Amino acid sequence: MMPRSSSVKTDRVWNIFMYYLERFRGVLLFYGILLGVLGPLLVLVQFWAGKEANADFQSLLIWGIPLAVALVMPLLIFGYVNNRQALDVFHAAPIRRETFYMGGYLAGLSIVMLPLIVFGGLSVLAQYYCFEDGRQALFQLLNTAISAFSSYSLMVFVIINCGTMFESIVYYLALNVGYPVLIYALFSLLQQHTYGYQQTENLLQKALFSISPYYLLTQDSSWNHLQLFLILVPLVSGIILAVFGKHLYRQRKSEAAGQSFAYQPLFFVGAVMAALSAGIGFLTFSSSMGSINVGMVLVANLIGILAYAILDTIRNRGFRKVWRTAVTALCIAAGASGIMMLTAFTGAFGYENRIPALEQISQVQISLPLSLSDDNSYSYSSTGKITLETPESIALVLAFHQAMVDEKKPIRQYQVGEPGRYVTIDRNDTKMLKLIGKYDRYSFDDGRYAQSEYGRGGSVRLTYHLKDGSTLARYYSNYPFVLTKPLSRLLQTEEFRSKYYDGLLQSFSAESGLLEINSTIFNGYMTEEMDRSQVSQLQDAIRQDIEKRSDDFLLSPDSVPVYQLSMRVWKEDGYWGYTADSYIVYEGDGNTLALLRQWEALPELRTDIFEGTIAGYIPREKRDVIMNYPKRDAGIFYHAGGFALMGSPQDPYYSDINQEPDCYEPLFVTLTEEQYAALMEMITPIRLTETGGDVVIVGGINYLVLPQYTEDVRALILSASTRDNRS
Amino acid sequence: MILLQDIVKRFGDITALDHVNLEIKKGSICGLLGPNGAGKSTLLRLLCGVFRPDEGVLTVSGKEVFEQPEQKQRVFFVADEPYFLPQATLDTMARLYSRLYPNFDRSFYEELCELFRLLPKKRIAEFSKGMKRQAGFLLGLATRPEYLLLDECFDGLDPVKRQVVRKLLADQVGGRDMTVVISSHNLRELDEICDTVCILYQGNLLYSKDLDDLKGDVHKIQVVFQETVTLSQLERSLSVMASEVRGKFFTLILRGDMEQIRQTLEQWHPVAMEIIPLTLEEVFLYEMEVKGYDAQIIFG
């Protein structure tokens, strides 16, 4: 057994600690002066230039220096473990290895931390006095200190595991780059190919990323529970590495110096990580444009095998063990491929098909777009979540979920963009177009899938809270129209409506706020600053209007949307944040409109549409070129306002289709006031509905042509006077 | 006393030391002989606790050394290529050793610097190879070790400095009862200084013997007989390690007590008999040949 203490006076942690502090006092001094001078200087610069100025520059200098020192100090202090001659001095001395490790580790850490804490602390104080808020700087200091600690511990750990300085540096970098790449690639791959999974809502991913020392620095400097958790992960991992490093140092054989690795497991971790991140990274990148095929898998395997073989050859200092390397690399590739295949064949081990039973669910949270705005943002709040608890509502959600699972194969085919991502510009030339997404969810009317940009369009997020305390979350985007029947029924239920409206009203409650009013049909935008009483008045007006609405209003509004209201409030973090977003005000919402009119807050409407601004028409036979829309579906596309259907013809984004102007140039028509009024009678704002139809865009709002008026609308458009859209 | 019992040290597939048993008396100077790769440096690193034996027991003054500071403070190892901190001067190294070794003697260190005429404030990187060896040696002596382990310590030293080192070692051994283990692949270097000599070859200890006993036990005698005497007659009465016969003129390498050998030879009435002094190298060459080793390979 190792004695816990010895009578030899030099065998003291303090002795070694002081020795290193003395030896590297030059580094400490230089680093301290650097932070001591730059820190206050940059705060002053920031003060003079304004709070937001030079934030990146300051971060880079002030917070980057300690990270660099945290990288260098382990090399300076523990570099001797990979130097045989130096070990003849240090390990022959009457000092236990544990003492060497602890003294060296603490001395290096002190050198990294002391100037950071002293001058970082002064910087926080300076920020506090200059800006009356030092929290952001304090949090940044905390982030940097923990990142530096974690990075320092990792570097020490790597040096003790490796046998040469070169490998120490290479594997430190490999771990810091390879690990995040692998995590990112894995989750991206999961996101791309796991039906119902969405990466952004995954806490696990953040936790895994946060093990990497530098992840903290990519996070916002703000106080919240997630941040505190993300701080804890590198802190704990740094401590674990330090303690484990001590154990390895004690066991490390001096003769390992100069060899490729003192402990082989780190090589396997590093090499396997590098191989997997190279292979899976390739697969993630290449399959982001479509589904995975055999060729991609083979190339990914080859890349992974090559990455492993290179590292193993370096470790073996030659090709002596080439066969063993090859067999190991093949096993890794086969293992990784096997797991991927198994994941694919089992639907991510049952994840994709899992639907909880009604009796298991205590409540379900649903987020779905109810907005008519272009960007599909939710109609009232940034979260847009509605929690449903009645069996009837939950059953409707389950029915929708079941329909999504049943339609998994064709939907997934669409999501990965296999069919129709390439469209024919002319008969001889195939170009790839990034197609417009705003029509997505309305083009599913016959069960076929729109060829639109992935990620846009209808999306639903379901979060089941089960009675056993667990949760089950799924996310579906670009769902086909035919599957929305349960959802459309859901919009008519009492529970949904009441909660939706409650949430909506809640989003319009604040001490004060900034109201944004957008005209939906015409161009126009205004903002209105509101005090507490005005906010209250607005809330009351909206409530009164809502109370007048019919039960099926959400499904089928009985009046025309005229304005969108959004409200922003000043957040503690120092920005205007939306509490209500794109709430639609309809013509029938008399109280709200009256209030806005009373405030003179209604935008001055530009009546361009009557004065020559145009609606657009795409010849039916050409529409497949633009939208790849089935030819047999009758439809007319109109446009008014500043956004052309395909963007500006001069937009380089659409340059590919300029080759055949007829294909993209909409037929612009000028409508008279009467024609416009007639048109508005035959179209209706787009919403979730069980019946589809053609789409018209007027003033940036999507309208469906009512099925019975398809021919009439076409006739009306064709009878209107035309003009060159370029004029 | 240093005691090695069945010591085995392996480096991967290579067995550097294979069940080595050795005893080195306190206050003696032991020479470790062997060609490059014989395991000499490995043995020294085991003695000072840099390496840990894979098998066997290694004790210094009755206690194990590895990770035992109480024992390690008695031992100092001067490597064949001494390590100095980057940009270090002798004074820098002295400060390091005073941190590492509790018995570091600053005044003795200064004395030694003067003796070797080394400048304490000059960068060691600017020293010659021989000066670096001297620096390593004097720093080691300044730690006042009970056991000084020297790996090829005479390499690169000029004859004057060799003599200084020898004298210093003799003084320390005589004055402080210090034990010295010197490794070398050159027999002549150890001839004048060692009490005991051990021969290592391919990880095995071939031989370990007190030098005086060794030299006193092997003799080279040239003898001329008047009568006809055959070698086989001599071999029946004497322990003949090697011989060369030209008629009645015999050159014999004999093992045993010199007086007894002389009396034995007298029975054949030699006309002339002369005892020729043997160098240590010659003794070992004959010893190794008797043991069946090619001494030329062992000693180069």
Side-chain angles (χ1 to χ4, degrees):
Chain A
M1 287 290 290
M2 201 82 69
R4 300 308 301 167
S5 63
S6 74
S7 59
V8 179
K9 68 177 185 184
T10 54
D11 184 29
R12 301 280 187 273
V13 172
W14 178 252
N15 177 49
I16 301 302
F17 176 82
M18 288 308 293
Y19 162 69
Y20 279 119
L21 277 193
E22 189 184 314
R23 185 173 157 193
F24 295 113
R25 62 182 182 278
V27 177
L28 181 63
L29 202 66
F30 178 71
Y31 165 46
I33 290 171
L34 209 58
L35 278 192
V37 172
L38 282 177
L41 193 69
L42 287 167
V43 173
L44 283 175
V45 168
Q46 216 180 6
F47 183 64
W48 288 325
K51 188 176 179 180
E52 302 303 324
N54 290 312
D56 292 340
F57 182 58
Q58 178 178 352
S59 298
L60 185 68
L61 276 173
I62 295 299
W63 312 121
I65 293 166
L67 293 172
V69 176
L71 187 65
V72 170
M73 281 318 297
L75 296 170
L76 292 176
I77 289 180
F78 288 98
Y80 72 88
V81 299
N82 294 324
N83 181 333
R84 288 185 179 206
Q85 288 173 277
L87 284 181
D88 286 341
V89 171
F90 289 101
H91 282 181
I95 292 167
R96 287 166 305 158
R97 292 169 191 213
E98 185 178 337
T99 311
F100 266 125
Y101 178 84
M102 290 305 295
Y105 180 87
L106 292 174
L109 191 61
S110 301
I111 291 172
V112 174
M113 290 297 169
L114 277 174
L116 177 62
I117 290 167
V118 172
F119 296 111
L122 286 175
S123 181
V124 171
L125 283 177
Q127 292 255 349
Y128 179 78
Y129 282 109
C130 288
F131 304 115
E132 294 182 348
D133 186 3
R135 280 181 305 173
Q136 191 175 342
L138 181 63
F139 206 81
Q140 207 165 15
L141 171 65
L142 197 62
N143 278 1
T144 308
I146 290 172
S147 285
F149 164 71
S150 176
S151 169
Y152 175 80
S153 292
L154 178 63
M155 190 70 204
V156 171
F157 184 78
V158 169
I159 291 172
I160 289 163
N161 275 271
C162 291
T164 65
M165 295 312 287
F166 172 74
E167 260 145 345
S168 301
I169 294 167
V170 166
Y171 276 82
Y172 174 83
L173 293 175
L175 289 174
N176 275 295
V177 175
Y179 177 73
V181 167
L182 180 61
I183 298 295
Y184 177 79
L186 272 175
F187 277 92
S188 298
L189 207 59
L190 278 175
Q191 161 122 340
Q192 284 170 23
H193 303 286
T194 305
Y195 187 64
Y197 174 79
Q198 195 190 25
Q199 185 175 336
T200 51
E201 55 190 356
N202 199 314
L203 185 65
L204 174 67
Q205 190 185 12
K206 275 183 174 287
L208 287 171
F209 267 133
S210 64
I211 294 172
S212 178
Y214 302 112
Y215 180 67
L216 260 186
L217 302 174
T218 66
Q219 298 300 296
D220 293 337
S221 296
S222 57
W223 293 98
N224 58 49
H225 289 98
L226 179 64
Q227 282 296 97
L228 290 174
F229 169 75
L230 294 180
I231 280 175
L232 276 179
V233 175
L235 184 67
V236 171
S237 70
I239 292 169
I240 290 171
L241 285 176
V243 173
F244 193 35
K246 178 180 148 189
H247 171 73
L248 291 181
Y249 187 91
R250 280 168 50 179
Q251 303 298 322
R252 193 182 197 268
K253 291 182 172 179
S254 300
E255 54 266 36
Q259 294 178 0
S260 56
F261 275 89
Y263 295 104
Q264 299 299 322
L266 185 78
F267 162 76
F268 285 105
V269 169
V272 170
M273 193 179 287
L276 290 180
S277 53
I280 294 175
F282 167 80
L283 211 53
T284 305
F285 175 74
S286 56
S287 67
S288 63
M289 304 294 282
S291 62
I292 295 175
N293 59 41
V294 177
M296 285 179 193
V297 173
L298 282 177
V299 174
N301 272 312
L302 277 176
I303 290 172
I305 288 169
L306 195 64
Y308 181 86
I310 290 169
L311 290 174
D312 202 27
T313 305
I314 293 171
R315 176 178 70 126
N316 295 326
R317 306 288 190 265
F319 296 96
R320 287 178 296 125
K321 298 175 180 174
V322 65
W323 290 113
R324 202 177 72 177
T325 302
V327 169
T328 313
L330 283 170
C331 288
I332 294 166
S337 303
I339 290 169
M340 284 176 59
M341 284 171 68
L342 199 63
T343 307
F345 284 125
T346 59
F349 302 99
Y351 179 94
E352 293 177 344
N353 297 336
R354 189 184 168 201
I355 300 171
L358 182 61
E359 56 274 16
Q360 291 178 295
I361 302 165
S362 59
Q363 56 178 222
V364 60
Q365 212 171 41
I366 183 166
S367 307
L368 74 164
L370 292 168
S371 166
L372 302 184
S373 65
D374 280 356
D375 60 358
N376 290 314
S377 58
Y378 302 139
S379 54
Y380 63 93
S381 72
S382 55
T383 56
K385 290 175 184 168
I386 295 165
T387 302
L388 304 167
E389 289 168 325
T390 64
E392 295 75 27
S393 301
I394 294 173
L396 288 171
V397 174
L398 284 174
F400 168 74
H401 191 172
Q402 185 65 57
M404 291 301 292
V405 169
D406 293 343
E407 290 287 312
K408 179 172 75 173
K409 193 175 176 184
I411 291 174
R412 183 144 64 179
Q413 272 187 339
Y414 162 63
Q415 282 182 333
V416 298
E418 270 187 314
R421 181 157 276 281
Y422 294 91
V423 295
T424 304
I425 296 298
D426 60 44
R427 282 175 169 63
N428 303 317
D429 188 18
T430 299
K431 299 282 184 187
M432 189 166 73
L433 295 180
K434 199 176 181 79
L435 295 160
I436 294 172
K438 65 175 69 166
Y439 303 105
D440 291 352
R441 56 194 155 119
Y442 311 109
S443 56
F444 292 125
D445 49 1
D446 63 351
R448 297 180 64 167
Y449 306 109
Q451 315 307 320
S452 62
E453 180 190 358
Y454 169 65
R456 300 291 302 270
S459 62
V460 172
R461 181 177 290 112
L462 308 171
T463 308
Y464 298 99
H465 295 275
L466 305 183
K467 288 174 182 168
D468 63 5
S470 62
T471 56
L472 188 144
R474 295 293 184 270
Y475 174 80
Y476 300 104
S477 60
N478 284 353
Y479 52 78
F481 178 78
V482 289
L483 302 183
T484 60
K485 285 181 185 177
L487 287 182
S488 65
R489 287 203 292 277
L490 187 65
L491 298 191
Q492 300 173 75
T493 61
E494 171 61 25
E495 185 186 18
F496 186 92
R497 278 187 293 116
S498 65
K499 287 185 173 172
Y500 171 74
Y501 288 136
D502 283 350
L504 193 148
L505 290 167
Q506 189 62 32
S507 70
F508 278 101
S509 62
E511 289 295 311
S512 61
L514 190 69
L515 185 67
E516 295 175 355
I517 308 114
N518 281 282
S519 167
T520 56
I521 299 178
F522 309 104
N523 295 323
Y525 170 79
M526 276 194 81
T527 58
E528 176 76 12
E529 281 191 36
M530 298 187 295
D531 58 21
R532 187 176 183 175
S533 70
Q534 283 177 302
V535 172
S536 183
Q537 283 176 42
L538 179 65
Q539 202 180 22
D540 287 343
I542 292 173
R543 181 182 290 111
Q544 287 164 17
D545 287 335
I546 285 172
E547 284 168 357
K548 286 194 296 180
R549 288 179 178 179
S550 61
D551 288 353
D552 65 347
F553 187 87
L554 286 175
L555 184 65
S556 179
D558 49 18
S559 64
V560 175
V562 284
Y563 294 105
Q564 288 182 7
L565 303 185
S566 300
M567 192 172 83
R568 293 199 285 171
V569 296
W570 182 252
K571 300 279 186 182
E572 284 185 0
D573 298 331
Y575 67 96
W576 286 97
Y578 281 98
T579 56
D581 187 10
S582 307
Y583 163 64
I584 306 295
V585 180
Y586 293 87
E587 275 180 342
D589 294 336
N591 294 291
T592 308
L593 287 172
L595 184 67
L596 294 174
R597 204 166 289 123
Q598 181 191 326
W599 291 350
E600 297 181 346
L602 292 181
E604 187 180 339
L605 302 181
R606 287 162 53 194
T607 54
D608 295 349
I609 193 160
F610 303 115
E611 296 169 356
T613 299
I614 43 188
Y617 167 68
I618 307 292
R620 179 181 172 185
E621 63 277 15
K622 296 292 185 187
R623 282 192 299 128
D624 62 323
V625 175
I626 295 170
M627 293 293 294
N628 204 21
Y629 201 82
K631 281 185 181 178
R632 63 181 172 78
D633 297 322
I636 305 168
F637 294 82
Y638 300 91
H639 175 73
F643 299 96
L645 184 62
M646 294 300 293
S648 161
Q650 281 74 42
D651 189 339
Y653 188 71
Y654 300 105
S655 59
D656 284 345
I657 57 174
N658 282 346
Q659 296 171 19
E660 196 178 354
D662 286 349
C663 294
Y664 72 85
E665 282 184 4
L667 176 65
F668 285 85
V669 295
T670 302
L671 298 175
T672 63
E673 192 167 353
E674 291 74 25
Q675 283 173 323
Y676 176 72
L679 176 68
M680 294 305 283
E681 290 297 317
M682 296 186 282
I683 60 179
T684 183
I686 282 176
R687 57 196 174 272
L688 290 171
T689 173
E690 294 181 40
T691 56
D694 295 330
V695 180
V696 169
I697 301 177
V698 179
I701 294 293
N702 304 338
Y703 286 77
L704 285 172
V705 175
L706 296 171
Q708 65 270 31
Y709 296 125
T710 302
E711 292 306 320
D712 295 332
V713 169
R714 182 178 296 118
L716 187 148
I717 295 296
L718 293 176
S719 67
S721 59
T722 60
R723 67 184 226 189
D724 185 355
N725 68 305
R726 291 172 194 267
S727 59
Chain B
M1 185 177 72
I2 293 171
L3 187 64
L4 286 84
Q5 294 173 291
D6 267 337
I7 289 294
V8 176
K9 182 65 189 171
R10 299 186 191 90
F11 299 123
D13 300 334
I14 298 163
T15 303
L17 291 174
D18 191 5
H19 296 282
V20 171
N21 290 285
L22 178 65
E23 184 180 324
I24 300 170
K25 288 177 192 161
K26 181 96 176 101
S28 67
I29 301 179
C30 174
L32 276 180
L33 283 167
N36 294 333
K40 303 186 297 292
S41 300
T42 301
L43 183 57
L44 293 181
R45 286 187 172 91
L46 284 167
L47 291 177
C48 66
V50 172
F51 291 166
R52 181 181 216 163
D54 293 322
E55 291 175 31
V57 179
L58 187 157
T59 59
V60 170
S61 296
K63 289 181 181 171
E64 289 192 16
V65 182
F66 188 80
E67 283 293 87
Q68 303 296 324
E70 289 84 356
Q71 294 307 102
K72 287 171 84 175
Q73 67 177 325
R74 302 161 186 256
V75 183
F76 192 92
F77 171 54
V78 182
D80 56 344
E81 288 180 51
Y83 171 77
F84 303 103
L85 296 171
Q87 310 300 317
T89 63
L90 261 179
D91 274 353
T92 315
M93 293 306 295
R95 276 200 296 279
L96 167 65
Y97 282 114
S98 65
R99 285 271 185 197
L100 302 181
Y101 288 86
N103 300 324
F104 188 83
D105 187 335
R106 180 81 200 181
S107 58
F108 187 42
Y109 154 74
E110 286 165 1
E111 270 178 46
L112 291 169
C113 283
E114 281 188 30
L115 182 66
F116 282 100
R117 296 172 186 275
L118 294 177
L119 297 173
K121 299 199 183 304
K122 186 177 177 181
R123 282 178 56 216
I124 296 173
E126 294 169 13
F127 284 7
S128 68
K129 183 184 172 188
M131 288 164 82
K132 284 179 183 168
R133 280 192 186 280
Q134 292 166 47
F137 178 72
L138 77 87
L139 285 165
L141 272 187
T143 64
R144 295 290 192 184
E146 289 178 40
Y147 298 88
L148 183 62
L149 314 174
L150 303 170
D151 196 1
E152 309 283 359
C153 72
F154 294 107
D155 271 10
L157 295 187
D158 61 54
V160 176
K161 288 290 173 357
R162 279 173 196 238
Q163 203 51 46
V164 172
V165 169
R166 281 197 191 101
K167 184 175 181 314
L168 266 171
L169 288 177
D171 289 349
Q172 294 293 312
V173 171
R176 295 199 304 113
D177 206 22
M178 185 174 79
T179 306
V180 181
V181 182
I182 309 176
S183 82
S184 177
H185 56 268
N186 191 336
L187 266 170
R188 289 183 207 98
E189 279 180 354
L190 305 181
D191 194 357
E192 293 174 20
I193 191 169
C194 289
D195 304 312
T196 316
V197 176
C198 310
I199 296 173
L200 279 169
Y201 181 62
Q202 292 183 342
N204 294 293
L205 183 67
L206 301 184
Y207 200 88
S208 171
K209 202 158 190 177
D210 192 279
L211 203 56
D212 290 339
D213 292 347
L214 188 69
K215 283 186 173 178
D217 205 35
V218 181
H219 312 282
K220 184 175 184 179
I221 296 173
Q222 287 185 331
V223 59
V224 183
F225 297 105
Q226 192 170 19
E227 304 167 13
T228 304
V229 179
T230 61
L231 183 61
S232 57
Q233 281 179 295
L234 293 173
E235 282 175 340
R236 278 197 290 275
S237 305
L238 294 164
S239 172
V240 180
M241 296 170 73
S243 62
E244 188 180 326
V245 182
R246 289 181 186 167
K248 292 178 179 178
F249 187 88
F250 288 76
T251 301
L252 301 168
I253 306 297
L254 301 169
R255 187 202 299 277
D257 179 63
M258 189 61 225
E259 200 47 43
Q260 283 185 354
I261 291 169
R262 191 192 302 274
Q263 286 173 8
T264 307
L265 289 172
E266 287 292 343
Q267 64 181 304
W268 285 291
H269 309 293
V271 178
M273 185 164 63
E274 187 183 3
I275 299 164
I276 298 167
L278 274 172
T279 62
L280 182 62
E281 196 168 2
E282 286 175 304
V283 173
F284 272 104
L285 283 172
Y286 294 128
E287 287 281 5
M288 290 299 99
E289 279 174 12
V290 169
K291 285 179 177 287
Y293 290 97
D294 185 344
Q296 293 300 334
I297 292 174
I298 296 175
F299 299 113

